[in-house]
Amino acid sequence: MTDEEIIAIARLARAAEKHYGCPQDIEWAVDDDLPAGEDTVLLQARPETVWSKRHHSVGAKADLVSSIVDTLVNPLYAGKGKQPA
C-alpha cells in the first residue's frame, strides 16, 4: 500500500465516524480502474464495538502514537490460547 492509500483510508474512516457520530468498523477497497486519488472507496461501515468499549488507563494520552504504543504494550490477547483482556 502507498502512503496516499493509507491516508485516503484514514480519511474515509474519519468521515464515516463523523457522519454516524461514533467510531466505525469500515470495509474499503482500492479500485485500480479509478483515477489515483479517487481509487480508495468505502464499501461498508458499521458501529465499532471492541476498541471503543476498551477501558483506558488513567492518564492515557489521546494522541495517535501513544495509542499505538499502548496497544502494542497491552494487546487484546495475552498469548496463545488466552482470551481477550
Side-chain angles (χ1 to χ4, degrees):
M1 292 186 68
T2 67
D3 288 346
E4 292 79 18
E5 290 169 339
I6 293 168
I7 291 168
I9 293 163
R11 286 187 179 133
L12 286 174
R14 286 186 182 256
E17 183 174 318
K18 183 177 179 180
H19 176 77
Y20 291 109
C22 64
Q24 297 291 303
D25 177 8
I26 66 166
E27 293 181 22
W28 51 269
V30 176
D31 187 337
D32 291 333
D33 294 330
L34 294 174
E38 298 175 24
D39 55 350
T40 305
V41 295
L42 181 65
L43 301 175
Q44 178 174 244
R46 61 191 160 275
E48 186 279 324
T49 58
V50 175
W51 290 100
S52 62
K53 306 292 186 220
R54 192 164 179 215
H55 296 288
H56 299 283
S57 59
V58 175
K61 296 182 180 173
D63 65 271
L64 179 61
V65 173
S66 294
S67 176
I68 292 169
V69 170
D70 182 57
T71 300
L72 293 172
V73 174
N74 302 301
L76 283 179
Y77 293 95
K80 188 174 180 179
K82 297 193 179 185
Q83 297 296 316

